[in-house]
Amino acid sequence: MNSIQSTAFCLNNQPLAPQSLLHRHCRLAPPAAAAISIDYDDESKHHTITIPSFLSDDESDISGTYPSLLHKIHVLPFLESEESARMLKIARAYAEASSSWDQQDSTRHVSYQTVDFAVEESVDMSQYLQDINFQERMFGLLSEEYDVDVEDLSELDFFCASYEASGDDDQTDRETMDRLDFHRDGSLLSFTVLLSQPEDFEGGGTIFDALRDAADEIDQQSTVLKAPGSIQPLNAGYATLHSGKLLHGGHVVTKGQRIVLVGFVDVDLRNMREGALGSAAKEWGRNDVREFWNQRRLLKTKQQKASWNVSNWRYLPKKGRSCLGKCSMPASLLGSIENRSKPEIIRERRLRSED
């Protein structure tokens, strides 16, 4: 096992995310379905899904040990059937009384608005969670799977979300959601607990960008991983544990309503390599900016029916910098901007940063 110096995140000297998180100039290897592994324990009904590595064989040495703990997604029974049923009843009652599932939350989750309510807002749910020792059990599970002391875990956010198929409700004034775009959580670790019975809805699940390419190949072989890379637990009460820094989202619900408990869990900074998370976040931000500026450029081009113009001579070829007024941006620079902002290139960079 590599030491802490060769890993980006370490918990109790176990590598969580490899050193490649800090390297920006690694060439991405094409994802392969065979790279995904799914381990299943029949006795505990515990599925462990290991996402593929997106570095080539020549570059794998710089990433440390693969797979790391944060390459793993865990899907397993967590709540007893009566516990999940009781929680679902409490959630529905509170949501109806407060209209929490009739509008998107624009205060707590600004960037990615969700239809939910904070668990702490419901007295009945908060009390019931205490009665069944929910946090103690969940933190114990996260501690076991990701090898971090329970004392180093803290709750960052805890809410109950609703995904409802569009068109299922005739009340047009309700602002429901049937999916959630790809995003990263504000925490290193995250969990989702399914409260609805699988037969109550179609579609749904937590979808991971890193699993999209391979899911078609193993869709028929796995009971929980379905195309296009969506984790779909078998029963109510199942928990899905993963790193919040893996790009993920809520897969579209095509029929019915999917209700889940979602938690963001912080890990004490003493367990992380200094600067590693900031470096990764900086790279993810660069990709977002590339996409934004190219979309803006295309919009301007469409509106003006002309290419972008520049007035700063530094962006012009050395020959011809003496143009008067605004000059057209060189084709080579436009080509570079467009190439770096292609969705497939941005996706490769994002996956490489995660790896």
Side-chain angles (χ1 to χ4, degrees), residues 84-128:
S84 58
R86 174 62 177 160
M87 245 184 275
L88 179 61
K89 184 177 181 179
I90 294 174
R92 288 188 186 279
Y94 179 81
E96 183 177 358
S98 62
S99 300
S100 298
W101 292 343
D102 295 339
Q103 57 190 349
Q104 297 186 9
D105 178 12
S106 59
T107 54
R108 293 175 44 254
H109 302 144
V110 178
S111 299
Y112 296 89
Q113 297 181 13
T114 54
V115 176
D116 64 27
F117 64 83
V119 167
E120 63 186 18
E121 295 175 358
S122 170
V123 175
D124 291 340
M125 178 167 283
S126 298
Q127 183 59 57
Y128 186 68

mmCIF file of all heavy atoms in Angstrom, residues 84-128:
data_model
loop_
_atom_site.group_PDB
_atom_site.id
_atom_site.type_symbol
_atom_site.label_atom_id
_atom_site.label_comp_id
_atom_site.label_asym_id
_atom_site.label_seq_id
_atom_site.Cartn_x
_atom_site.Cartn_y
_atom_site.Cartn_z
ATOM 1 N N SER A 84 -38.274 1.856 7.093
ATOM 2 C CA SER A 84 -38.413 2.646 5.865
ATOM 3 C C SER A 84 -39.875 3.000 5.614
ATOM 4 O O SER A 84 -40.186 4.104 5.146
ATOM 5 C CB SER A 84 -37.834 1.884 4.674
ATOM 6 O OG SER A 84 -38.455 0.630 4.508
ATOM 7 N N ALA A 85 -40.794 2.076 5.932
ATOM 8 C CA ALA A 85 -42.221 2.356 5.751
ATOM 9 C C ALA A 85 -42.682 3.474 6.686
ATOM 10 O O ALA A 85 -43.454 4.362 6.289
ATOM 11 C CB ALA A 85 -43.040 1.093 5.994
ATOM 12 N N ARG A 86 -42.214 3.435 7.921
ATOM 13 C CA ARG A 86 -42.572 4.465 8.894
ATOM 14 C C ARG A 86 -42.011 5.820 8.469
ATOM 15 O O ARG A 86 -42.706 6.843 8.542
ATOM 16 C CB ARG A 86 -42.032 4.082 10.276
ATOM 17 C CG ARG A 86 -42.210 5.135 11.355
ATOM 18 C CD ARG A 86 -43.652 5.456 11.623
ATOM 19 N NE ARG A 86 -43.810 6.410 12.708
ATOM 20 C CZ ARG A 86 -44.899 7.146 12.889
ATOM 21 N NH1 ARG A 86 -45.934 7.032 12.075
ATOM 22 N NH2 ARG A 86 -44.972 7.986 13.904
ATOM 23 N N MET A 87 -40.776 5.827 7.990
ATOM 24 C CA MET A 87 -40.164 7.081 7.561
ATOM 25 C C MET A 87 -40.865 7.664 6.341
ATOM 26 O O MET A 87 -41.034 8.879 6.215
ATOM 27 C CB MET A 87 -38.677 6.867 7.280
ATOM 28 C CG MET A 87 -37.782 7.640 8.237
ATOM 29 S SD MET A 87 -36.054 7.489 7.833
ATOM 30 C CE MET A 87 -35.717 5.975 8.679
ATOM 31 N N LEU A 88 -41.277 6.780 5.438
ATOM 32 C CA LEU A 88 -41.985 7.231 4.245
ATOM 33 C C LEU A 88 -43.316 7.877 4.626
ATOM 34 O O LEU A 88 -43.698 8.921 4.076
ATOM 35 C CB LEU A 88 -42.228 6.048 3.306
ATOM 36 C CG LEU A 88 -42.987 6.356 2.013
ATOM 37 C CD1 LEU A 88 -42.236 7.369 1.165
ATOM 38 C CD2 LEU A 88 -43.232 5.065 1.220
ATOM 39 N N LYS A 89 -44.003 7.291 5.572
ATOM 40 C CA LYS A 89 -45.281 7.840 6.037
ATOM 41 C C LYS A 89 -45.090 9.208 6.672
ATOM 42 O O LYS A 89 -45.848 10.150 6.404
ATOM 43 C CB LYS A 89 -45.918 6.873 7.035
ATOM 44 C CG LYS A 89 -47.291 7.303 7.516
ATOM 45 C CD LYS A 89 -47.898 6.265 8.461
ATOM 46 C CE LYS A 89 -49.283 6.692 8.932
ATOM 47 N NZ LYS A 89 -49.896 5.676 9.845
ATOM 48 N N ILE A 90 -44.055 9.336 7.501
ATOM 49 C CA ILE A 90 -43.762 10.621 8.136
ATOM 50 C C ILE A 90 -43.406 11.669 7.090
ATOM 51 O O ILE A 90 -43.861 12.819 7.144
ATOM 52 C CB ILE A 90 -42.614 10.469 9.152
ATOM 53 C CG1 ILE A 90 -43.045 9.580 10.322
ATOM 54 C CG2 ILE A 90 -42.164 11.836 9.672
ATOM 55 C CD1 ILE A 90 -41.925 9.262 11.294
ATOM 56 N N ALA A 91 -42.582 11.268 6.105
ATOM 57 C CA ALA A 91 -42.150 12.202 5.067
ATOM 58 C C ALA A 91 -43.324 12.702 4.245
ATOM 59 O O ALA A 91 -43.439 13.907 3.958
ATOM 60 C CB ALA A 91 -41.116 11.528 4.168
ATOM 61 N N ARG A 92 -44.204 11.804 3.844
ATOM 62 C CA ARG A 92 -45.363 12.200 3.045
ATOM 63 C C ARG A 92 -46.275 13.162 3.819
ATOM 64 O O ARG A 92 -46.754 14.156 3.265
ATOM 65 C CB ARG A 92 -46.154 10.965 2.633
ATOM 66 C CG ARG A 92 -45.485 10.111 1.567
ATOM 67 C CD ARG A 92 -46.439 9.019 1.099
ATOM 68 N NE ARG A 92 -45.841 8.081 0.177
ATOM 69 C CZ ARG A 92 -45.693 8.304 -1.125
ATOM 70 N NH1 ARG A 92 -46.080 9.459 -1.652
ATOM 71 N NH2 ARG A 92 -45.155 7.382 -1.895
ATOM 72 N N ALA A 93 -46.481 12.864 5.102
ATOM 73 C CA ALA A 93 -47.350 13.717 5.914
ATOM 74 C C ALA A 93 -46.769 15.112 6.059
ATOM 75 O O ALA A 93 -47.489 16.118 5.921
ATOM 76 C CB ALA A 93 -47.563 13.076 7.286
ATOM 77 N N TYR A 94 -45.465 15.196 6.326
ATOM 78 C CA TYR A 94 -44.847 16.515 6.494
ATOM 79 C C TYR A 94 -44.828 17.285 5.176
ATOM 80 O O TYR A 94 -45.115 18.497 5.144
ATOM 81 C CB TYR A 94 -43.427 16.380 7.035
ATOM 82 C CG TYR A 94 -42.749 17.731 7.192
ATOM 83 C CD1 TYR A 94 -43.004 18.523 8.305
ATOM 84 C CD2 TYR A 94 -41.898 18.228 6.210
ATOM 85 C CE1 TYR A 94 -42.426 19.781 8.433
ATOM 86 C CE2 TYR A 94 -41.320 19.473 6.331
ATOM 87 C CZ TYR A 94 -41.581 20.249 7.441
ATOM 88 O OH TYR A 94 -41.015 21.495 7.563
ATOM 89 N N ALA A 95 -44.492 16.591 4.082
ATOM 90 C CA ALA A 95 -44.423 17.259 2.785
ATOM 91 C C ALA A 95 -45.787 17.807 2.366
ATOM 92 O O ALA A 95 -45.889 18.896 1.790
ATOM 93 C CB ALA A 95 -43.898 16.297 1.729
ATOM 94 N N GLU A 96 -46.843 17.067 2.674
ATOM 95 C CA GLU A 96 -48.189 17.529 2.333
ATOM 96 C C GLU A 96 -48.583 18.735 3.177
ATOM 97 O O GLU A 96 -49.153 19.710 2.656
ATOM 98 C CB GLU A 96 -49.194 16.399 2.543
ATOM 99 C CG GLU A 96 -50.617 16.778 2.147
ATOM 100 C CD GLU A 96 -51.594 15.629 2.293
ATOM 101 O OE1 GLU A 96 -51.161 14.518 2.671
ATOM 102 O OE2 GLU A 96 -52.796 15.842 2.034
ATOM 103 N N ALA A 97 -48.252 18.705 4.460
ATOM 104 C CA ALA A 97 -48.615 19.808 5.349
ATOM 105 C C ALA A 97 -47.821 21.070 5.040
ATOM 106 O O ALA A 97 -48.332 22.192 5.181
ATOM 107 C CB ALA A 97 -48.407 19.396 6.805
ATOM 108 N N SER A 98 -46.570 20.906 4.621
ATOM 109 C CA SER A 98 -45.689 22.052 4.397
ATOM 110 C C SER A 98 -45.555 22.441 2.932
ATOM 111 O O SER A 98 -44.910 23.454 2.610
ATOM 112 C CB SER A 98 -44.297 21.749 4.946
ATOM 113 O OG SER A 98 -43.720 20.641 4.253
ATOM 114 N N SER A 99 -46.130 21.628 2.027
ATOM 115 C CA SER A 99 -46.008 21.842 0.571
ATOM 116 C C SER A 99 -44.552 21.809 0.118
ATOM 117 O O SER A 99 -44.180 22.444 -0.877
ATOM 118 C CB SER A 99 -46.649 23.181 0.157
ATOM 119 O OG SER A 99 -48.026 23.200 0.496
ATOM 120 N N SER A 100 -43.712 21.077 0.845
ATOM 121 C CA SER A 100 -42.279 21.030 0.541
ATOM 122 C C SER A 100 -41.988 20.390 -0.809
ATOM 123 O O SER A 100 -40.987 20.719 -1.452
ATOM 124 C CB SER A 100 -41.538 20.262 1.635
ATOM 125 O OG SER A 100 -41.666 20.891 2.882
ATOM 126 N N TRP A 101 -42.839 19.461 -1.241
ATOM 127 C CA TRP A 101 -42.611 18.776 -2.508
ATOM 128 C C TRP A 101 -43.407 19.380 -3.648
ATOM 129 O O TRP A 101 -43.522 18.794 -4.721
ATOM 130 C CB TRP A 101 -42.934 17.292 -2.368
ATOM 131 C CG TRP A 101 -41.981 16.560 -1.468
ATOM 132 C CD1 TRP A 101 -40.743 16.981 -1.049
ATOM 133 C CD2 TRP A 101 -42.180 15.272 -0.874
ATOM 134 N NE1 TRP A 101 -40.160 16.050 -0.231
ATOM 135 C CE2 TRP A 101 -41.022 14.981 -0.103
ATOM 136 C CE3 TRP A 101 -43.211 14.346 -0.906
ATOM 137 C CZ2 TRP A 101 -40.875 13.804 0.618
ATOM 138 C CZ3 TRP A 101 -43.067 13.160 -0.193
ATOM 139 C CH2 TRP A 101 -41.916 12.889 0.556
ATOM 140 N N ASP A 102 -43.931 20.579 -3.427
ATOM 141 C CA ASP A 102 -44.676 21.282 -4.468
ATOM 142 C C ASP A 102 -43.852 22.394 -5.107
ATOM 143 O O ASP A 102 -44.334 23.093 -6.003
ATOM 144 C CB ASP A 102 -45.961 21.892 -3.900
ATOM 145 C CG ASP A 102 -46.945 20.827 -3.431
ATOM 146 O OD1 ASP A 102 -46.828 19.683 -3.897
ATOM 147 O OD2 ASP A 102 -47.819 21.147 -2.601
ATOM 148 N N GLN A 103 -42.624 22.571 -4.649
ATOM 149 C CA GLN A 103 -41.777 23.638 -5.177
ATOM 150 C C GLN A 103 -40.309 23.271 -5.014
ATOM 151 O O GLN A 103 -39.947 22.501 -4.132
ATOM 152 C CB GLN A 103 -42.063 24.946 -4.433
ATOM 153 C CG GLN A 103 -41.879 24.839 -2.924
ATOM 154 C CD GLN A 103 -42.398 26.039 -2.185
ATOM 155 O OE1 GLN A 103 -42.717 27.055 -2.781
ATOM 156 N NE2 GLN A 103 -42.476 25.935 -0.865
ATOM 157 N N GLN A 104 -39.488 23.823 -5.865
ATOM 158 C CA GLN A 104 -38.057 23.566 -5.808
ATOM 159 C C GLN A 104 -37.399 24.487 -4.790
ATOM 160 O O GLN A 104 -37.759 25.651 -4.674
ATOM 161 C CB GLN A 104 -37.416 23.746 -7.192
ATOM 162 C CG GLN A 104 -37.934 22.755 -8.222
ATOM 163 C CD GLN A 104 -37.194 22.845 -9.538
ATOM 164 O OE1 GLN A 104 -36.189 23.530 -9.661
ATOM 165 N NE2 GLN A 104 -37.697 22.137 -10.550
ATOM 166 N N ASP A 105 -36.452 23.938 -4.063
ATOM 167 C CA ASP A 105 -35.758 24.684 -3.019
ATOM 168 C C ASP A 105 -34.668 25.551 -3.646
ATOM 169 O O ASP A 105 -33.712 25.039 -4.224
ATOM 170 C CB ASP A 105 -35.138 23.703 -2.017
ATOM 171 C CG ASP A 105 -34.364 24.400 -0.915
ATOM 172 O OD1 ASP A 105 -34.492 25.625 -0.804
ATOM 173 O OD2 ASP A 105 -33.633 23.718 -0.178
ATOM 174 N N SER A 106 -34.806 26.853 -3.539
ATOM 175 C CA SER A 106 -33.836 27.787 -4.123
ATOM 176 C C SER A 106 -32.968 28.457 -3.059
ATOM 177 O O SER A 106 -32.205 29.374 -3.371
ATOM 178 C CB SER A 106 -34.569 28.864 -4.933
ATOM 179 O OG SER A 106 -35.465 29.575 -4.098
ATOM 180 N N THR A 107 -33.081 28.025 -1.817
ATOM 181 C CA THR A 107 -32.312 28.652 -0.741
ATOM 182 C C THR A 107 -31.184 27.743 -0.248
ATOM 183 O O THR A 107 -30.042 28.175 -0.137
ATOM 184 C CB THR A 107 -33.227 29.009 0.443
ATOM 185 O OG1 THR A 107 -33.948 27.843 0.867
ATOM 186 C CG2 THR A 107 -34.237 30.067 0.025
ATOM 187 N N ARG A 108 -31.492 26.494 0.043
ATOM 188 C CA ARG A 108 -30.480 25.586 0.584
ATOM 189 C C ARG A 108 -29.585 25.027 -0.511
ATOM 190 O O ARG A 108 -28.395 24.837 -0.320
ATOM 191 C CB ARG A 108 -31.157 24.447 1.353
ATOM 192 C CG ARG A 108 -31.868 24.895 2.625
ATOM 193 C CD ARG A 108 -32.635 23.789 3.311
ATOM 194 N NE ARG A 108 -31.911 22.548 3.379
ATOM 195 C CZ ARG A 108 -32.182 21.482 2.617
ATOM 196 N NH1 ARG A 108 -33.169 21.534 1.737
ATOM 197 N NH2 ARG A 108 -31.494 20.383 2.745
ATOM 198 N N HIS A 109 -30.149 24.727 -1.668
ATOM 199 C CA HIS A 109 -29.387 24.173 -2.781
ATOM 200 C C HIS A 109 -29.522 25.121 -3.962
ATOM 201 O O HIS A 109 -30.379 24.940 -4.826
ATOM 202 C CB HIS A 109 -29.895 22.777 -3.146
ATOM 203 C CG HIS A 109 -29.835 21.803 -2.004
ATOM 204 N ND1 HIS A 109 -30.778 20.832 -1.784
ATOM 205 C CD2 HIS A 109 -28.927 21.660 -0.998
ATOM 206 C CE1 HIS A 109 -30.459 20.127 -0.700
ATOM 207 N NE2 HIS A 109 -29.347 20.621 -0.215
ATOM 208 N N VAL A 110 -28.664 26.120 -3.997
ATOM 209 C CA VAL A 110 -28.788 27.189 -4.981
ATOM 210 C C VAL A 110 -28.390 26.725 -6.380
ATOM 211 O O VAL A 110 -29.105 26.951 -7.355
ATOM 212 C CB VAL A 110 -27.934 28.405 -4.566
ATOM 213 C CG1 VAL A 110 -28.034 29.501 -5.620
ATOM 214 C CG2 VAL A 110 -28.377 28.926 -3.206
ATOM 215 N N SER A 111 -27.250 26.060 -6.506
ATOM 216 C CA SER A 111 -26.738 25.680 -7.821
ATOM 217 C C SER A 111 -27.566 24.585 -8.472
ATOM 218 O O SER A 111 -27.791 24.592 -9.685
ATOM 219 C CB SER A 111 -25.271 25.228 -7.702
ATOM 220 O OG SER A 111 -24.463 26.282 -7.212
ATOM 221 N N TYR A 112 -27.987 23.610 -7.651
ATOM 222 C CA TYR A 112 -28.793 22.497 -8.156
ATOM 223 C C TYR A 112 -30.036 22.378 -7.277
ATOM 224 O O TYR A 112 -30.033 21.691 -6.266
ATOM 225 C CB TYR A 112 -27.987 21.195 -8.162
ATOM 226 C CG TYR A 112 -26.809 21.237 -9.098
ATOM 227 C CD1 TYR A 112 -25.561 21.702 -8.677
ATOM 228 C CD2 TYR A 112 -26.957 20.852 -10.431
ATOM 229 C CE1 TYR A 112 -24.487 21.757 -9.548
ATOM 230 C CE2 TYR A 112 -25.881 20.911 -11.312
ATOM 231 C CZ TYR A 112 -24.661 21.359 -10.867
ATOM 232 O OH TYR A 112 -23.596 21.423 -11.729
ATOM 233 N N GLN A 113 -31.074 23.078 -7.688
ATOM 234 C CA GLN A 113 -32.288 23.147 -6.881
ATOM 235 C C GLN A 113 -32.994 21.797 -6.860
ATOM 236 O O GLN A 113 -33.133 21.131 -7.887
ATOM 237 C CB GLN A 113 -33.220 24.219 -7.427
ATOM 238 C CG GLN A 113 -32.629 25.615 -7.371
ATOM 239 C CD GLN A 113 -33.574 26.671 -7.891
ATOM 240 O OE1 GLN A 113 -34.760 26.426 -8.075
ATOM 241 N NE2 GLN A 113 -33.050 27.862 -8.148
ATOM 242 N N THR A 114 -33.416 21.399 -5.679
ATOM 243 C CA THR A 114 -34.091 20.123 -5.501
ATOM 244 C C THR A 114 -35.452 20.321 -4.847
ATOM 245 O O THR A 114 -35.717 21.351 -4.228
ATOM 246 C CB THR A 114 -33.242 19.181 -4.627
ATOM 247 O OG1 THR A 114 -32.921 19.847 -3.392
ATOM 248 C CG2 THR A 114 -31.955 18.785 -5.328
ATOM 249 N N VAL A 115 -36.290 19.319 -4.994
ATOM 250 C CA VAL A 115 -37.599 19.321 -4.327
ATOM 251 C C VAL A 115 -37.435 18.489 -3.067
ATOM 252 O O VAL A 115 -37.385 17.258 -3.126
ATOM 253 C CB VAL A 115 -38.688 18.734 -5.249
ATOM 254 C CG1 VAL A 115 -40.019 18.647 -4.519
ATOM 255 C CG2 VAL A 115 -38.828 19.574 -6.511
ATOM 256 N N ASP A 116 -37.298 19.141 -1.921
ATOM 257 C CA ASP A 116 -36.979 18.422 -0.701
ATOM 258 C C ASP A 116 -37.344 19.234 0.534
ATOM 259 O O ASP A 116 -37.820 20.362 0.430
ATOM 260 C CB ASP A 116 -35.484 18.059 -0.661
ATOM 261 C CG ASP A 116 -34.581 19.291 -0.605
ATOM 262 O OD1 ASP A 116 -35.011 20.350 -0.100
ATOM 263 O OD2 ASP A 116 -33.428 19.221 -1.057
ATOM 264 N N PHE A 117 -37.091 18.677 1.689
ATOM 265 C CA PHE A 117 -37.147 19.425 2.943
ATOM 266 C C PHE A 117 -36.034 18.917 3.847
ATOM 267 O O PHE A 117 -35.652 17.742 3.788
ATOM 268 C CB PHE A 117 -38.515 19.293 3.635
ATOM 269 C CG PHE A 117 -38.876 17.903 4.080
ATOM 270 C CD1 PHE A 117 -38.417 17.383 5.293
ATOM 271 C CD2 PHE A 117 -39.700 17.110 3.300
ATOM 272 C CE1 PHE A 117 -38.755 16.105 5.712
ATOM 273 C CE2 PHE A 117 -40.054 15.825 3.707
ATOM 274 C CZ PHE A 117 -39.579 15.323 4.914
ATOM 275 N N ALA A 118 -35.471 19.819 4.628
ATOM 276 C CA ALA A 118 -34.424 19.439 5.570
ATOM 277 C C ALA A 118 -35.035 18.566 6.659
ATOM 278 O O ALA A 118 -36.102 18.874 7.180
ATOM 279 C CB ALA A 118 -33.777 20.679 6.183
ATOM 280 N N VAL A 119 -34.363 17.477 6.994
ATOM 281 C CA VAL A 119 -34.882 16.553 7.992
ATOM 282 C C VAL A 119 -35.149 17.257 9.313
ATOM 283 O O VAL A 119 -36.132 16.977 10.004
ATOM 284 C CB VAL A 119 -33.902 15.371 8.179
ATOM 285 C CG1 VAL A 119 -34.252 14.562 9.424
ATOM 286 C CG2 VAL A 119 -33.908 14.470 6.946
ATOM 287 N N GLU A 120 -34.302 18.207 9.659
ATOM 288 C CA GLU A 120 -34.451 18.901 10.937
ATOM 289 C C GLU A 120 -35.732 19.721 11.012
ATOM 290 O O GLU A 120 -36.193 20.074 12.100
ATOM 291 C CB GLU A 120 -33.247 19.814 11.169
ATOM 292 C CG GLU A 120 -33.103 20.914 10.138
ATOM 293 C CD GLU A 120 -31.834 21.721 10.303
ATOM 294 O OE1 GLU A 120 -30.909 21.245 10.987
ATOM 295 O OE2 GLU A 120 -31.765 22.831 9.744
ATOM 296 N N GLU A 121 -36.338 20.020 9.870
ATOM 297 C CA GLU A 121 -37.579 20.791 9.864
ATOM 298 C C GLU A 121 -38.772 19.956 10.320
ATOM 299 O O GLU A 121 -39.784 20.504 10.753
ATOM 300 C CB GLU A 121 -37.847 21.341 8.460
ATOM 301 C CG GLU A 121 -36.810 22.362 7.992
ATOM 302 C CD GLU A 121 -37.042 22.794 6.560
ATOM 303 O OE1 GLU A 121 -37.996 22.259 5.940
ATOM 304 O OE2 GLU A 121 -36.284 23.632 6.050
ATOM 305 N N SER A 122 -38.665 18.645 10.194
ATOM 306 C CA SER A 122 -39.748 17.756 10.608
ATOM 307 C C SER A 122 -39.449 17.196 11.997
ATOM 308 O O SER A 122 -38.531 16.387 12.163
ATOM 309 C CB SER A 122 -39.913 16.606 9.607
ATOM 310 O OG SER A 122 -40.802 15.629 10.103
ATOM 311 N N VAL A 123 -40.213 17.612 12.975
ATOM 312 C CA VAL A 123 -40.000 17.154 14.345
ATOM 313 C C VAL A 123 -40.206 15.649 14.450
ATOM 314 O O VAL A 123 -39.424 14.938 15.088
ATOM 315 C CB VAL A 123 -40.947 17.892 15.313
ATOM 316 C CG1 VAL A 123 -40.804 17.325 16.726
ATOM 317 C CG2 VAL A 123 -40.668 19.389 15.298
ATOM 318 N N ASP A 124 -41.240 15.146 13.790
ATOM 319 C CA ASP A 124 -41.546 13.720 13.866
ATOM 320 C C ASP A 124 -40.433 12.869 13.249
ATOM 321 O O ASP A 124 -40.048 11.839 13.803
ATOM 322 C CB ASP A 124 -42.873 13.419 13.166
ATOM 323 C CG ASP A 124 -44.059 13.989 13.918
ATOM 324 O OD1 ASP A 124 -43.914 14.273 15.130
ATOM 325 O OD2 ASP A 124 -45.127 14.155 13.309
ATOM 326 N N MET A 125 -39.923 13.320 12.092
ATOM 327 C CA MET A 125 -38.864 12.541 11.455
ATOM 328 C C MET A 125 -37.577 12.621 12.259
ATOM 329 O O MET A 125 -36.879 11.608 12.433
ATOM 330 C CB MET A 125 -38.623 13.012 10.019
ATOM 331 C CG MET A 125 -37.496 12.255 9.320
ATOM 332 S SD MET A 125 -37.417 12.522 7.537
ATOM 333 C CE MET A 125 -38.784 11.481 6.991
ATOM 334 N N SER A 126 -37.241 13.793 12.750
ATOM 335 C CA SER A 126 -36.029 13.937 13.559
ATOM 336 C C SER A 126 -36.083 13.034 14.785
ATOM 337 O O SER A 126 -35.094 12.363 15.123
ATOM 338 C CB SER A 126 -35.855 15.395 13.991
ATOM 339 O OG SER A 126 -35.692 16.243 12.880
ATOM 340 N N GLN A 127 -37.227 12.991 15.418
ATOM 341 C CA GLN A 127 -37.381 12.161 16.611
ATOM 342 C C GLN A 127 -37.279 10.679 16.266
ATOM 343 O O GLN A 127 -36.629 9.908 16.975
ATOM 344 C CB GLN A 127 -38.726 12.454 17.278
ATOM 345 C CG GLN A 127 -38.944 11.683 18.584
ATOM 346 C CD GLN A 127 -37.884 11.980 19.624
ATOM 347 O OE1 GLN A 127 -37.696 13.153 19.994
ATOM 348 N NE2 GLN A 127 -37.189 10.962 20.115
ATOM 349 N N TYR A 128 -37.905 10.286 15.166
ATOM 350 C CA TYR A 128 -37.873 8.870 14.793
ATOM 351 C C TYR A 128 -36.457 8.440 14.425
ATOM 352 O O TYR A 128 -36.028 7.327 14.766
ATOM 353 C CB TYR A 128 -38.820 8.604 13.628
ATOM 354 C CG TYR A 128 -38.928 7.142 13.294
ATOM 355 C CD1 TYR A 128 -39.543 6.248 14.175
ATOM 356 C CD2 TYR A 128 -38.381 6.631 12.117
ATOM 357 C CE1 TYR A 128 -39.621 4.891 13.886
ATOM 358 C CE2 TYR A 128 -38.462 5.289 11.817
ATOM 359 C CZ TYR A 128 -39.079 4.419 12.710
ATOM 360 O OH TYR A 128 -39.141 3.074 12.423
#
